[in-house]
Amino acid sequence: MAFFGASNNIASMGTHILMSVLTGGFKGKIYPVHRKESHVQNLKAYGHVADLPEVPDLAVIVLPTAVVNQTLEDCGRKGIKQVVVVSGGFKEVGAQGAELEGALKKIATLYNMKILGPNCLGVANPHRNINTTFVPNEGIPGFVGLSSQSGSFVTQMFEYLSGFGMGFSAAFSVGNEAVLDIVDCMEYLGKCPNTKVIALYIEGIQRGRTFMEAAKAIVPHKPIVAYYVGGSKAGKAAGFSHTGAMAGPDELYDGMFRQAGIIRARSVEEMFDFCWVLGALPIPEGNRVIIQTHSGGPGAAAADACGRVDLALATLSQETLEKLAPFIPSTGSVGNPVDLTFAKDYSSFFSSIPEILLAEENADILMVYLMSPQRVVERVLKGMGISDETIQEQGRKIVESNAEQFRAHLKTQKKPIVGYTFHRPDAQVMNEAIARGVPVFQGAERAARATAALVAYSKIRGREN
Amino acid sequence: MAFFGASNNIASMGTHILMSVLTGGFKGKIYPVHRKESHVQNLKAYGHVADLPEVPDLAVIVLPTAVVNQTLEDCGRKGIKQVVVVSGGFKEVGAQGAELEGALKKIATLYNMKILGPNCLGVANPHRNINTTFVPNEGIPGFVGLSSQSGSFVTQMFEYLSGFGMGFSAAFSVGNEAVLDIVDCMEYLGKCPNTKVIALYIEGIQRGRTFMEAAKAIVPHKPIVAYYVGGSKAGKAAGFSHTGAMAGPDELYDGMFRQAGIIRARSVEEMFDFCWVLGALPIPEGNRVIIQTHSGGPGAAAADACGRVDLALATLSQETLEKLAPFIPSTGSVGNPVDLTFAKDYSSFFSSIPEILLAEENADILMVYLMSPQRVVERVLKGMGISDETIQEQGRKIVESNAEQFRAHLKTQKKPIVGYTFHRPDAQVMNEAIARGVPVFQGAERAARATAALVAYSKIRGREN
């Protein structure tokens, strides 16, 4: 990797990006190019790209606008074929910048160079320890591939996604899309083996037809989720000032997404909610949900949320009702939602009951309300004179072993299990379930909407195959 | 308080509830009534309610169904006027239970007793250290008054609300509503001085006309937010099996809410989001929003989210544009969203810029994207050889002092400030802002929808006054 724009000045953007590359654990050689310094961040620096001892696979350019094109020329002459141009000051600032961008494109054509940007935050590929953004990636390598017309939705999602136990397979900030655009990056992600689901943050698509064809080719084997921000009048104006991309009417994009089999999200949060279930869970056969709860309100709220999206409540078979009966107390309900109230044996909520419900022929999906009565149990144990340490350790073990049951269920039954809760996002009951492959959402609405996305993809795939 | 059903058996529900009362720090005297024990949880116990040395203000009954009515009779004879009946086994279990509930009502009438329940989780009033639910309240006394047809949405919200720095003023689980119903509790909350906003979890309203009249009387001086779960077919079925309440068609309730000036939420999460802004912020004059951000994507996403609800993007006056200019770098945008990209002086994002924007005559609301570049700053300081401890302490102080600016802005300008972020809910940048009275939501969509609820209330109040 050749690096232009890093120095020993710790306040410069280029230096920051180089630091991200270094702390990200990049395995290849890094050649900083600097006119004056002999070393940059303890790496041997070179006065000119022509002096480099080999032809780098990639160049990252974080230089003042005025010298970007000359540097690209030099990279081209050296034989570098892939470049990330972080520098701004092009199309997004008006006519003069647009002219510079035109020249940049010509250089790319002349030297057959693939350029990401300009005016972008670069690329992150945690599986290959690459991160050319200025934000250190604290996340884990994951399965979400992102092609984004906003750099923030790469960098600010490192922390956000890791909060859900998720991470990027690869994420591209496409900037002004002078050469490579959101469609090219989507196509790359379509082929990327680490990417299970593709997310698109769209302010406006320039190559509509190519986009449609590419998406149609990907969707049968890999789901695509899009958040399109240019549709509302306000979003359109904001997007325009951001990257200079032209937005179209909301209905047009809606129709395009529908036709291509792309699942549309209505916010960034929802886009990643959808990616989560689509990447982590088996695709259901149909839309029939069983809700398992131990309180009436959360059960009713989930039923309501399912009713407002394209999900049906499964009708339990006589066989299932009979199998369930021994586990449900008289205060509970063996309908759907299956409401245990106070389970006779708390552990059955994670073992026997989901096992019975997942075997139900009339159902495709299990939605589980997760509530850990930790405080109540702690109080009981404390009252019995057990030490705080023992209580906490025991409590942790119980939650772990309960969550472990989910892993077994997911293995034997190829049906998705989606959790919802009102515990805090850092609650152990959430984290342990998530670590075992069960996405857990705060609140029934998010869970239901994400589940509906799973069902939508099931239908799309059925239609496409 | 007289307490029926607690013992020294730590596994019983009654004992648990008594423990909640005790750990909640209830200041009054507690008289456990127990046939056999001389002491219950270290409190002197009485063999019969008639033996109590005074007439308690409240009785809590957690006894087997069969002895509830006799106990109520005894309480009535003693002169007790307020009773919480936690015990289930009444209307919700069928005809026989309904008969028992009929008898319970007659006893209430005979002795002029106010009864909450049966089949409820009781009441929590953190301001008065009362908690008759089985879950310890770890939350703080707050401003949200809840009247709920689900007990879970009392108990499971203790933790949930405290995660947002919120808490209940008072919360009622109304259970089967044999005597006191959701409307009575709403009326109480309308008068409660600690309650700034009322939340209603509704599966079905029995006294429609009284409900409407009561709500109409409250709304001009206190907002009401409702989540109605019985509207969808699935929600209706689930709600019916839960408390036996009759649900009506969704449109009917929608019309009722509209007519009464009640703001409707579409989920529990949203209900409390709405309560948050309505209780914490000044009510805006209109719907014109300024979005302040330092990244284009989050700005565009917020604009899009505003465009999808009843919020308009304010047009900045020439005066504001001129005042802003010195603070915005050439890469930024002085339109709306106000996009700073990299602020020349980071602290101006919290001081001068919001001050200028809040003074804008053409705007009613400020929406701020909160992103703390903590990791980046930490890296810089670390590179300068500063110790981890110093870095963390300095970082904390900066976030604190930035958040402190919000408090000052809210004081001088009577306009709401709503934050949104993609940081984790436990991030310092969220907590410090929240502690200064600025609600901060994960993602622009939640922020925009909550802000729209503020505007809706502004309109409703204008209409009613």
Side-chain angles (χ1 to χ4, degrees):
Chain A
M1 179 190 301
F3 203 103
F4 300 83
S7 66
N8 294 312
N9 171 9
I10 210 151
S12 96
M13 177 55 89
T15 307
H16 265 291
I17 296 178
L18 179 56
M19 286 170 89
S20 288
V21 174
L22 291 168
T23 57
F26 179 64
K27 300 271 190 297
K29 277 183 189 148
I30 304 166
Y31 302 112
V33 179
H34 200 282
R35 279 185 305 163
K36 293 174 201 157
E37 307 277 0
S38 70
H39 285 79
V40 165
Q41 301 300 320
N42 300 323
L43 296 166
K44 178 174 161 45
Y46 295 79
H48 196 278
V49 62
D51 306 336
L52 301 187
E54 58 178 325
V55 180
D57 294 324
L58 177 71
V60 178
I61 299 178
V62 201
L63 294 167
T65 318
V67 298
V68 168
N69 283 351
Q70 182 56 53
T71 307
L72 279 170
E73 279 264 7
D74 297 343
C75 287
R77 281 203 200 99
K78 181 75 181 177
I80 298 175
K81 296 295 176 200
Q82 300 183 100
V83 189
V84 173
V85 181
V86 175
S87 316
F90 292 86
K91 190 177 66 178
E92 81 281 8
V93 300
Q96 211 181 338
E99 208 172 296
L100 276 177
E101 194 160 315
L104 178 148
K105 283 189 202 183
K106 278 184 193 151
I107 299 165
T109 309
L110 186 63
Y111 294 100
N112 192 24
M113 279 194 293
K114 287 182 179 163
I115 296 177
L116 190 68
N119 185 31
C120 76
L121 290 189
V123 58
N125 184 326
H127 290 276
R128 304 222 174 157
N129 299 93
I130 294 175
N131 176 16
T132 76
T133 78
F134 72 104
V135 176
N137 183 0
E138 47 192 310
I140 46 168
F143 57 66
V144 179
L146 173 70
S147 180
S148 172
Q149 287 177 333
S150 156
S152 291
F153 291 138
V154 174
T155 55
Q156 322 249 319
M157 295 302 120
F158 294 153
E159 179 189 330
Y160 181 79
L161 292 181
S162 72
F164 300 101
M166 277 198 288
F168 287 124
S169 49
F172 298 93
S173 157
V174 297
N176 289 2
E177 305 178 286
V179 180
L180 293 175
D181 69 357
I182 190 169
V183 183
D184 293 309
C185 295
M186 179 181 80
E187 288 191 284
Y188 171 88
L189 294 168
K191 288 173 196 144
C192 163
N194 297 320
T195 300
K196 288 197 194 169
V197 53
I198 297 172
L200 304 174
Y201 170 75
I202 301 171
E203 294 186 352
I205 299 242
Q206 319 236 0
R207 297 190 293 150
R209 188 168 302 184
T210 323
F211 171 71
M212 292 292 286
E213 282 165 9
K216 277 184 186 168
I218 294 169
V219 157
H221 60 93
K222 201 177 277 189
I224 302 177
V225 184
Y227 172 47
Y228 170 57
V229 84
S232 70
K233 205 179 143 198
K236 196 170 173 173
F240 188 73
S241 81
H242 180 210
T243 50
M246 279 302 290
D250 207 69
E251 300 73 28
L252 179 71
Y253 275 79
D254 212 65
M256 274 169 60
F257 294 149
R258 212 179 296 264
Q259 222 183 308
I262 293 171
I263 298 163
R264 185 171 184 183
R266 60 181 181 182
S267 66
V268 175
E269 309 85 272
E270 193 166 273
M271 178 168 71
F272 290 115
D273 282 359
F274 290 4
C275 287
W276 195 6
V277 292
L278 285 162
L281 292 173
I283 304 300
E285 297 286 320
N287 74 339
R288 300 164 304 171
V289 177
I290 304 180
I291 297 162
Q292 181 188 330
T293 174
H294 29 52
S295 344
D304 178 63
C306 287
R308 291 181 199 283
V309 292
D310 185 23
L311 297 174
L313 286 204
T315 307
L316 302 189
S317 66
Q318 198 53 42
E319 196 191 334
T320 298
L321 294 175
E322 280 163 18
K323 284 196 283 181
L324 274 179
F327 297 98
I328 315 272
S330 64
T331 50
S333 162
V334 284
N336 186 8
V338 181
D339 182 1
L340 271 77
T341 61
F342 298 96
K344 290 175 178 172
D345 167 14
Y346 183 70
S347 72
S348 70
F349 190 85
F350 299 90
S351 54
S352 314
I353 295 170
E355 198 181 318
I356 295 166
L357 297 179
L358 285 164
E360 168 63 63
E361 272 186 14
N362 296 333
D364 310 295
I365 299 152
L366 180 60
M367 199 178 281
V368 180
Y369 180 60
L370 289 174
M371 191 273 282
S372 166
Q374 220 157 330
R375 308 275 168 206
V376 177
V377 172
E378 275 171 18
R379 196 166 55 184
V380 173
L381 298 174
K382 211 166 175 170
M384 289 162 75
I386 295 168
S387 79
D388 279 0
E389 270 174 43
T390 313
I391 290 171
Q392 284 183 9
E393 203 196 312
Q394 285 301 317
R396 261 199 304 277
K397 278 190 190 160
I398 292 168
V399 174
E400 265 174 42
S401 85
N402 284 338
E404 193 57 38
Q405 302 275 348
F406 283 132
R407 201 205 300 267
H409 296 316
L410 281 170
K411 221 174 193 170
T412 42
Q413 295 283 350
K414 302 292 175 214
K415 290 180 184 174
I417 306 175
V418 178
Y420 68 108
T421 188
F422 286 102
H423 283 295
R424 290 188 202 162
D426 57 350
Q428 201 208 348
V429 67
M430 276 185 90
N431 290 335
E432 298 293 351
I434 288 171
R436 269 85 181 174
V438 175
V440 182
F441 294 90
Q442 247 204 348
E445 197 203 3
R446 268 175 96 164
R449 292 190 63 92
T451 305
L454 264 184
V455 171
Y457 184 61
S458 169
K459 282 187 189 166
I460 289 164
R461 205 173 54 172
R463 189 183 77 191
E464 300 289 335
N465 287 349
Chain B
M1 180 190 300
F3 204 103
F4 300 84
S7 67
N8 295 312
N9 170 10
I10 210 151
S12 96
M13 178 56 89
T15 307
H16 265 289
I17 296 178
L18 179 56
M19 286 171 92
S20 289
V21 174
L22 291 169
T23 57
F26 180 65
K27 301 270 190 298
K29 276 185 190 150
I30 303 166
Y31 302 111
V33 178
H34 199 282
R35 279 187 306 166
K36 293 173 199 158
E37 308 278 358
S38 71
H39 284 79
V40 165
Q41 300 300 319
N42 299 323
L43 296 166
K44 179 175 160 46
Y46 295 80
H48 196 277
V49 61
D51 305 336
L52 301 188
E54 58 179 325
V55 181
D57 293 325
L58 177 71
V60 179
I61 299 179
V62 201
L63 293 167
T65 318
V67 298
V68 168
N69 282 350
Q70 182 55 52
T71 308
L72 280 170
E73 279 263 10
D74 297 344
C75 287
R77 281 204 199 97
K78 181 74 181 178
I80 298 175
K81 296 295 177 201
Q82 300 183 98
V83 188
V84 173
V85 180
V86 176
S87 317
F90 291 86
K91 190 176 64 177
E92 82 280 8
V93 299
Q96 211 180 338
E99 208 171 296
L100 275 177
E101 194 160 316
L104 177 148
K105 283 189 203 185
K106 278 185 192 149
I107 298 165
T109 310
L110 187 61
Y111 294 100
N112 192 24
M113 279 194 293
K114 288 183 179 164
I115 296 177
L116 191 68
N119 184 32
C120 76
L121 290 190
V123 59
N125 186 327
H127 291 277
R128 304 221 174 158
N129 299 93
I130 295 176
N131 176 16
T132 75
T133 79
F134 72 104
V135 175
N137 184 0
E138 46 191 314
I140 47 169
F143 57 66
V144 180
L146 173 69
S147 179
S148 173
Q149 287 177 333
S150 156
S152 290
F153 292 138
V154 175
T155 55
Q156 322 250 319
M157 295 302 120
F158 293 153
E159 180 189 330
Y160 181 78
L161 291 182
S162 72
F164 301 100
M166 278 198 288
F168 286 124
S169 50
F172 298 93
S173 158
V174 297
N176 289 3
E177 304 178 285
V179 180
L180 292 176
D181 70 357
I182 191 170
V183 185
D184 294 308
C185 294
M186 178 181 79
E187 288 191 284
Y188 170 89
L189 295 167
K191 289 174 197 142
C192 163
N194 297 321
T195 300
K196 288 195 193 170
V197 52
I198 298 172
L200 304 174
Y201 170 76
I202 301 171
E203 295 187 351
I205 299 246
Q206 320 236 358
R207 297 190 294 151
R209 188 168 302 185
T210 322
F211 171 71
M212 293 290 286
E213 282 165 11
K216 277 184 186 169
I218 293 168
V219 157
H221 60 93
K222 200 177 276 188
I224 303 177
V225 183
Y227 173 47
Y228 169 58
V229 85
S232 71
K233 204 179 146 198
K236 195 169 172 171
F240 188 72
S241 81
H242 180 208
T243 50
M246 277 304 286
D250 207 68
E251 301 73 28
L252 178 72
Y253 275 79
D254 213 65
M256 273 169 60
F257 294 149
R258 211 179 297 262
Q259 224 184 307
I262 292 171
I263 298 164
R264 185 171 183 184
R266 61 181 181 182
S267 66
V268 175
E269 309 85 273
E270 193 166 273
M271 177 168 71
F272 290 115
D273 282 358
F274 290 4
C275 287
W276 196 6
V277 292
L278 285 162
L281 291 172
I283 303 301
E285 297 286 321
N287 73 339
R288 300 164 305 171
V289 177
I290 303 181
I291 298 163
Q292 182 189 329
T293 173
H294 30 50
S295 343
D304 178 63
C306 287
R308 292 181 198 282
V309 293
D310 185 23
L311 297 174
L313 287 204
T315 307
L316 303 189
S317 66
Q318 198 53 42
E319 195 191 335
T320 297
L321 294 175
E322 280 161 21
K323 285 196 282 180
L324 275 179
F327 297 99
I328 314 274
S330 64
T331 49
S333 163
V334 284
N336 187 9
V338 180
D339 182 2
L340 271 76
T341 61
F342 298 97
K344 291 174 178 174
D345 167 13
Y346 182 69
S347 71
S348 70
F349 190 86
F350 299 91
S351 54
S352 313
I353 296 169
E355 197 181 319
I356 294 166
L357 298 178
L358 285 164
E360 167 64 64
E361 272 186 12
N362 297 332
D364 310 295
I365 299 152
L366 180 60
M367 199 178 280
V368 180
Y369 179 59
L370 289 175
M371 190 272 283
S372 167
Q374 219 157 330
R375 308 277 167 204
V376 179
V377 173
E378 277 171 15
R379 198 167 52 183
V380 173
L381 297 174
K382 211 165 177 172
M384 290 163 74
I386 295 169
S387 78
D388 280 0
E389 269 174 42
T390 313
I391 291 171
Q392 285 183 7
E393 204 195 314
Q394 284 302 316
R396 260 199 304 278
K397 277 189 189 160
I398 292 169
V399 175
E400 264 174 41
S401 85
N402 284 338
E404 194 58 37
Q405 301 276 348
F406 285 131
R407 202 205 299 269
H409 295 316
L410 282 169
K411 221 173 193 169
T412 41
Q413 295 283 352
K414 300 294 175 215
K415 290 179 184 174
I417 305 175
V418 178
Y420 69 107
T421 190
F422 287 102
H423 283 296
R424 290 187 202 161
D426 57 351
Q428 200 207 350
V429 68
M430 276 186 87
N431 291 335
E432 298 293 351
I434 289 171
R436 269 85 179 176
V438 175
V440 182
F441 294 91
Q442 248 206 345
E445 197 203 3
R446 269 175 97 163
R449 293 189 60 91
T451 305
L454 264 185
V455 171
Y457 184 61
S458 169
K459 283 187 189 166
I460 289 163
R461 205 174 54 172
R463 189 183 78 191
E464 302 288 336
N465 286 350

